[in-house]
Amino acid sequence: MKVFEGLQFRHVSSPIHRLDPRTKFIISCVIFIQAFLFTEFLYLIILFFAQLPLVVFARIQKQWARSLRGGLMLILLIFFTNLIVGVVSNDFQLTSESLTYSTSMSLRFVVLMTSFSIFFLTTSPDDLGLALEQSHIPYEFCFAFTTAVRFVPVLAREAQTIMDAQKSRGLELEKGGFMKRIRNYIPILIPLIVSAIRRSLELAEAMETRAFGAKKQRTSLHALKIERRDIITLVLCFTILALTIYTRIYIPIPIISIPIPTISIPIPQI
Amino acid sequence: MIEVENLSFTYPAGIEALKDISVTIPEGDFVAIMGENGAGKTTLIKHFNGILKPDTGRICVDGIDTKTASVAELSRTIGLVFQNPDHQLFSETVEEEIAFGLKNFGFQEEEIPKRIDWALNLLNLTQYQKTSPFLLSGGERKRVALATVLAWNPKTLVIDEPTIGQDFRQKERLRHFFNELHDQGRTVIFVTHDVEFVADCNPRVILMYKGQILSDGPAKQILTNHEITSKASVLLPQIAQLFHQLIDFGLPREVIAVQEAKGLIEELLKRGDVREGL
């Protein structure tokens, strides 16, 4: 559940928080594209360090660090999967290249997580909904989206309570074989789904009693406006993107590897 | 026996829910935990079967430190019924719902139906044996949740808000049933906001306030003390309120039970000096 903490908005005042949500979305997209354009270790490490000032600037380092810690299992999974595939496809030799490659792949994941964190931690669900609305997406969809985002922490908390309640009835999640362990989750998933459906019906009724959809043309109290700072940021973003694409196509990136001697892994003879 | 020593607990989000709590609940005790919203009542009972583990201090259940045992192990002796039944109901029928806990605790195949019948009968649910728990009303679901825990007959029963959504008749049944369990020597602990229910049950009352125990003693003593109850946002039972206003007639202050009040008032009327008091 800790992974999601990195996506939970908290009210802080920072220059990043004040940017238009659309601008922040573009920043995240640019980082995203860059991370996918490169597999080189050098570039990804630069990208990683380039994001750090943004994180500090937005004062979200604590939540960001927490979500990374929550995602540690996934990071390790990516690292070892790549490493094992690298070793196996290379006659069971652990080479400097495959180590570097697996490190880069995990680093890429960290970069992507960070860009998500920057966006979601600094953009309130309301702003997000407003941004969608002003991008001429039908209000029903915007509303569904923001509601979904808003209910993620509620659901996470509820899942925890359900787990506690079932454990109090003697359910041991960690017991049994693989299939048994999967079946252990049925008593948790069913109440979770049922209560989510129940809640959504109640929400729909509550909305209708408050005249949801009575007027076609909606106005909002706060309108989003692209300010000068947004324009500067956007120009910067697109320049960086253009430069990256240029680099990708025309400039070879020096290969930096983690220097280790090649290690042969003995295969047990059967 | 539950021994709580200097227990403190802070939620990961930074809310300090319990501050240095020490309390002992001996075997066969009958306890109501009361207090305003957010006083830490539910947090405290979640420590009893090890769902939450203390940050500092310790809790021993029959001499076993809850830190060293799993929730499932502790739950065999401490049956905890959660406030919201929807957080635990998942089976196709009420009967299967009750069987779930029994199977988890390894009861014999032939014993399970007997215990199901017993628990259903106890909570007036026999007619719903084959019904889906999701089709029942809120109050009935609450009773099913209670039945699921009762079925394995835990030595200590801990119930969060048992009276929510129950009509008068069901509350009366619940009260009789609590008394019965108590008479059998079982420990019954419940969390509630329902003062009248507590006044009828007449248990030991632990009054909580902002993560601490404000007061601990017999219901008669605590629920007639205006000063501490109002601090904990608990209203006095109506009988206690009445007797507070009748203090000039020489009536005692510590009265919460209807029968006792009736006796005292009758006595007063027989004495015939009521008019002078007015």
Side-chain angles (χ1 to χ4, degrees):
Chain A
M1 291 303 150
K2 267 193 182 152
V3 190
F4 295 115
E5 275 184 41
L7 301 178
Q8 245 187 76
F9 174 75
R10 233 173 263 181
H11 259 290
V12 196
S13 175
S14 86
I16 310 269
H17 283 75
R18 278 192 292 274
L19 285 176
D20 190 282
R22 288 164 287 187
T23 314
K24 280 182 273 191
F25 183 68
I26 299 286
I27 298 178
S28 288
C29 282
V30 169
I31 298 174
F32 206 87
I33 296 168
Q34 294 189 66
F36 273 106
L37 279 176
F38 295 90
T39 52
E40 285 84 354
F41 183 62
L42 177 66
Y43 197 89
L44 287 164
I45 199 108
I46 291 174
L47 199 55
F48 175 69
F49 281 110
Q51 281 184 308
L52 290 186
L54 287 180
V55 172
V56 178
F57 215 38
R59 297 200 282 159
I60 50 167
Q61 51 275 49
K62 241 171 88 186
Q63 293 93 311
W64 168 73
R66 211 175 294 160
S67 78
L68 277 193
R69 228 177 302 144
L72 193 66
M73 273 309 291
L74 278 172
I75 298 170
L76 291 177
L77 187 73
I78 292 170
F79 180 77
F80 284 109
T81 316
N82 278 295
L83 198 66
I84 290 165
V85 170
V87 167
V88 171
S89 63
N90 210 344
D91 293 329
F92 288 90
Q93 281 183 332
L94 176 63
T95 59
S96 162
E97 287 90 65
S98 59
L99 180 67
T100 313
Y101 183 75
S102 344
T103 315
S104 315
M105 285 304 107
S106 336
L107 205 56
R108 177 192 266 178
F109 180 69
V110 172
V111 166
L112 293 180
M113 266 182 78
T114 311
S115 78
F116 271 127
S117 287
I118 292 175
F119 181 72
F120 282 104
L121 284 172
T122 60
T123 311
S124 77
D126 296 322
D127 274 358
L128 200 57
L130 218 50
L132 288 175
E133 257 177 80
Q134 294 193 4
S135 314
H136 300 288
I137 291 166
Y139 181 67
E140 283 81 2
F141 293 104
C142 304
F143 186 85
F145 179 77
T146 40
T147 314
V149 171
R150 196 168 302 159
F151 274 100
V152 167
V154 177
L155 252 118
R157 230 174 312 151
E158 195 154 278
Q160 187 59 52
T161 314
I162 292 170
M163 257 189 250
D164 290 344
Q166 304 298 36
K167 274 192 212 157
S168 305
R169 296 169 75 196
L171 177 69
E172 292 192 70
L173 289 172
E174 308 299 326
K175 238 183 189 172
F178 182 67
M179 281 318 281
K180 174 87 172 65
R181 279 191 194 202
I182 290 179
R183 245 178 296 142
N184 281 346
Y185 276 89
I186 294 175
I188 293 172
L189 287 176
I190 293 180
L192 191 63
I193 294 166
V194 169
S195 75
I197 293 171
R198 228 179 231 155
R199 173 168 313 118
S200 66
L201 291 176
E202 278 167 15
L203 187 67
E205 280 172 6
M207 278 160 57
E208 284 194 73
T209 54
R210 288 195 256 164
F212 180 82
K215 258 199 165 154
K216 274 276 159 296
Q217 200 66 44
R218 288 178 55 91
T219 55
S220 35
L221 185 57
H222 306 282
L224 293 175
K225 228 179 107 209
I226 296 279
E227 308 261 359
R228 224 167 64 125
R229 53 171 179 254
D230 292 305
I231 295 171
I232 297 169
T233 318
L234 285 175
V235 169
L236 212 63
C237 271
F238 285 118
T239 317
I240 291 172
L241 186 63
L243 280 174
T244 349
I245 294 172
Y246 180 80
T247 315
R248 171 77 286 180
I249 301 171
Y250 297 106
I251 304 173
I253 295 174
I255 290 172
I256 294 185
S257 314
I258 301 166
I260 55 150
T262 303
I263 303 163
S264 292
I265 293 172
I267 324 159
Q269 296 292 327
I270 305 160
Chain B
M1 172 128 127
I2 301 172
E3 293 157 287
V4 183
E5 288 167 32
N6 304 101
L7 160 68
S8 293
F9 181 79
T10 306
Y11 279 104
I15 299 155
E16 202 183 353
L18 297 176
K19 294 170 210 164
D20 197 26
I21 283 193
S22 295
V23 68
T24 302
I25 299 173
E27 224 164 301
D29 210 356
F30 186 24
V31 184
I33 301 176
M34 303 187 76
E36 61 186 347
N37 294 331
K41 306 179 295 288
T42 302
T43 310
L44 179 63
I45 62 167
K46 279 187 177 174
H47 276 87
F48 291 167
N49 72 345
I51 289 172
L52 299 175
K53 311 277 182 189
D55 290 337
T56 57
R58 61 187 210 134
I59 294 197
C60 288
V61 174
D62 294 336
I64 300 163
D65 190 331
T66 59
K67 272 187 183 160
T68 62
S70 77
V71 177
E73 283 161 14
L74 290 165
S75 296
R76 181 64 188 84
T77 44
I78 306 254
L80 201 152
V81 186
F82 276 59
Q83 185 172 349
N84 188 347
D86 296 338
H87 285 152
Q88 63 164 74
L89 303 179
F90 72 99
S91 304
E92 273 178 55
T93 62
V94 169
E95 178 175 56
E96 282 171 44
E97 194 66 59
I98 297 173
F100 174 72
L102 297 174
K103 282 180 194 154
N104 284 335
F105 288 120
F107 280 87
Q108 300 288 323
E109 275 301 325
E110 59 274 10
E111 208 190 330
I112 291 177
K114 277 187 229 155
R115 283 185 172 265
I116 292 173
D117 285 344
W118 175 77
L120 286 173
N121 187 32
L122 211 58
L123 286 159
N124 202 14
L125 290 164
T126 310
Q127 81 241 49
Y128 300 126
Q129 187 170 5
K130 304 274 181 201
T131 315
S132 159
F134 298 112
L135 294 176
L136 302 179
S137 76
E140 288 161 346
R141 287 207 295 272
K142 184 101 197 168
R143 294 210 309 279
V144 172
L146 186 54
T148 59
V149 175
L150 273 173
W152 75 77
N153 213 356
K155 220 164 72 183
T156 301
L157 197 63
V158 186
I159 312 155
D160 202 350
E161 299 276 10
T163 56
I164 285 185
Q166 305 297 333
D167 58 29
F168 174 70
R169 185 171 302 155
Q170 296 302 338
K171 269 198 216 177
E172 276 301 289
R173 285 183 72 104
L174 205 60
R175 187 166 68 84
H176 283 301
F177 166 65
F178 280 0
N179 283 332
E180 218 169 282
L181 286 172
H182 182 218
D183 290 341
Q184 287 168 15
R186 254 166 249 288
T187 314
V188 179
I189 303 167
F190 63 101
V191 167
T192 190
H193 288 286
D194 192 336
V195 262
E196 298 301 336
F197 183 72
V198 176
D200 288 341
C201 289
N202 198 16
R204 164 184 174 189
V205 172
I206 295 176
L207 203 57
M208 292 187 69
Y209 175 70
K210 294 198 170 152
Q212 285 172 319
I213 292 179
L214 185 65
S215 190
D216 180 355
K220 228 175 151 175
Q221 202 180 326
I222 303 225
L223 292 183
T224 50
N225 186 332
H226 186 70
E227 204 177 309
I228 50 171
T229 48
S230 69
K231 192 174 176 194
S233 294
V234 171
L235 210 63
L236 294 183
Q238 292 190 342
I239 295 289
Q241 286 182 32
L242 181 68
F243 273 67
H244 265 81
Q245 291 175 25
L246 296 179
I247 205 87
D248 291 341
F249 291 98
L251 288 167
R253 213 176 241 273
E254 292 190 357
V255 183
I256 52 172
V258 176
Q259 283 306 322
E260 191 188 355
K262 182 180 166 235
L264 286 164
I265 292 173
E266 273 173 359
E267 214 175 282
L268 183 73
L269 290 171
K270 272 181 204 152
R271 275 208 322 257
D273 53 356
V274 182
R275 289 188 187 282
E276 285 161 45
L278 284 170

